[in-house]
């Protein structure tokens, strides 16, 4: 992406909000394509490559959660930031389960929004997977960082860019208790106390993939008052 302006797809049906977001993103030097519906977004993703997708939850026709799932089927790596007026924890969990990488509740602070965007667009600079660890095994799982795939008890799955970065961080620092702020900074590109719940919910997602009993994790362990620790030999 060096020397090129990042390409962002904005999926937002509120025109006044879309105009404001587009203006501020363009002021930051990004190229923005705007569509108003999920159907238009899916057509765009089929024919164009984007560095980031900003996706509203409440859309006419296909809703944002379903759009996110369909985008993931087309491209497992592109970062997705979901925007929503819903603040319920269940909606945040649903969004992350649908494949979103981050979740921002409206109305949001412009500075925070731009921080999220810049952090997600810096993804290629954070923890690039190394060839020596392709085929990383733990329990009944095998993770292929370079090809963004994993084999689990549930079968083969495609990994998102954010999932690969998080797994790479855990694998490289196996056995360490990694603070939440360190994980947020290295994986999402920013660290704020308010977003530790995003991380916690994302860990739930990894546990569903890889743990024999997600409610009793043995690989992705919580370190109370600190963060998380990964161990392949619990």
């Amino acid at each position: 992406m060096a020397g090129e302006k990042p390409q962002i797809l904005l999926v937002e049906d509120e025109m006044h909000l879309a105009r404001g977001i587009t203006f501020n993103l363009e002021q930051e030097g990004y190229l923005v394509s705007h569509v108003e519906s999920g159907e238009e977004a899916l057509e765009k993703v089929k024919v164009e490559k984007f560095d980031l997708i900003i996706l509203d939850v409440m859309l006419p026709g296909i809703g944002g959660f379903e759009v996110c799932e369909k985008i993931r089927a087309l491209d497992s790596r592109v970062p997705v930031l979901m925007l929503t007026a819903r603040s319920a924890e269940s909606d945040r969990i649903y969004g992350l389960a649908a494949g979103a990488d981050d979740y921002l509740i409206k109305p949001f602070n412009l500075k925070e929004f731009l921080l999220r965007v810049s952090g997600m667009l810096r993804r290629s600079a954070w923890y690039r997977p190394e060839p020596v660890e392709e085929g990383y095994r733990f329990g009944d799982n095998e993770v292929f960082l370079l090809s963004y795939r994993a084999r689990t008890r549930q079968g083969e799955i495609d990994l998102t860019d954010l999932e690969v970065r998080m797994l790479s961080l855990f694998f490289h620092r196996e056995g360490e208790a990694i603070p939440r702020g360190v994980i947020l900074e290295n994986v999402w590109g920013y660290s704020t106390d308010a977003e530790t719940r995003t991380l916690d919910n994302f860990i739930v997602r990894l546990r569903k993939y890889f743990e024999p009993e997600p409610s009793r994790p043995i690989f992705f362990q919580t370190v109370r008052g600190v963060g998380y620790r990964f161990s392949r030999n619990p």
Side-chain angles (χ1 to χ4, degrees):
M1 203 162 58
E4 298 181 5
K5 292 185 177 182
Q7 304 268 351
I8 297 176
L9 175 62
L10 172 63
V11 190
E12 172 61 69
D13 66 319
E14 295 182 43
M15 286 305 300
H16 70 285
L17 180 58
R19 283 193 291 268
I21 290 175
T22 299
F23 173 80
N24 283 284
L25 290 175
E26 290 177 342
Q27 289 293 107
E28 295 294 310
Y30 307 133
L31 295 176
V32 182
S33 295
H34 169 237
V35 296
E36 298 179 54
S37 70
E39 290 86 352
E40 292 175 287
L42 293 172
E43 289 303 313
K44 279 275 191 182
V45 173
K46 287 176 184 177
V47 297
E48 297 182 44
K49 284 291 183 182
F50 294 97
D51 299 296
L52 172 67
I53 297 174
I54 300 173
L55 175 63
D56 187 34
V57 169
M58 301 298 290
L59 294 169
I62 304 175
F65 293 135
E66 185 178 351
V67 173
C68 188
E69 291 173 344
K70 290 180 181 293
I71 286 172
R72 279 286 166 252
L74 295 168
D75 186 343
S76 65
R77 303 185 189 184
V78 61
V80 177
L81 171 62
M82 297 199 81
L83 304 179
T84 180
R86 298 176 174 181
S87 59
E89 184 70 10
S90 59
D91 288 320
R92 182 185 294 257
I93 293 171
Y94 194 4
L96 294 172
D101 296 302
D102 208 347
Y103 202 96
L104 194 57
I105 296 170
K106 302 175 184 175
F108 48 80
N109 178 276
L110 176 60
K111 185 176 180 180
E112 181 185 2
F113 169 72
L114 293 175
L115 179 66
R116 302 283 187 98
V117 169
S118 64
M120 295 176 80
L121 287 170
R122 287 198 305 270
R123 68 194 186 282
S124 61
W126 299 100
Y127 283 89
R128 293 177 181 176
E130 298 178 5
V132 294
E133 282 298 346
E134 185 165 13
Y136 192 97
R137 293 176 179 270
F138 58 99
D140 294 326
N141 308 294
E142 187 170 16
V143 175
F144 300 88
L145 293 174
L146 296 179
S147 56
Y148 288 67
R149 294 181 299 111
R151 295 194 185 105
T152 74
R153 286 169 172 258
Q154 305 168 47
E156 190 163 308
I157 59 174
D158 292 323
L159 299 170
T160 68
D161 186 83
L162 189 144
E163 289 165 352
V164 165
R165 282 183 287 140
M166 182 174 287
L167 289 169
S168 181
L169 174 61
F170 278 129
F171 295 167
H172 280 82
R173 298 178 62 168
E174 181 183 353
E176 294 183 36
I178 309 176
R180 285 180 169 84
V182 172
I183 299 174
L184 284 166
E185 184 67 36
N186 283 274
V187 177
W188 277 267
Y190 62 84
S191 176
T192 62
D193 291 340
E195 289 312 309
T196 57
R197 290 303 298 162
T198 294
L199 168 58
D200 295 342
N201 290 330
F202 206 88
I203 293 292
V204 171
R205 181 160 132 190
L206 292 185
R207 286 171 174 169
K208 287 180 179 177
Y209 288 165
F210 300 115
E211 297 283 0
E213 296 181 65
S215 61
R216 300 174 62 186
I218 57 176
F219 301 120
F220 299 93
Q221 305 161 2
T222 299
V223 182
R224 189 165 298 177
V226 180
Y228 293 97
R229 176 175 53 234
F230 169 78
S231 176
R232 65 168 134 183
N233 298 305

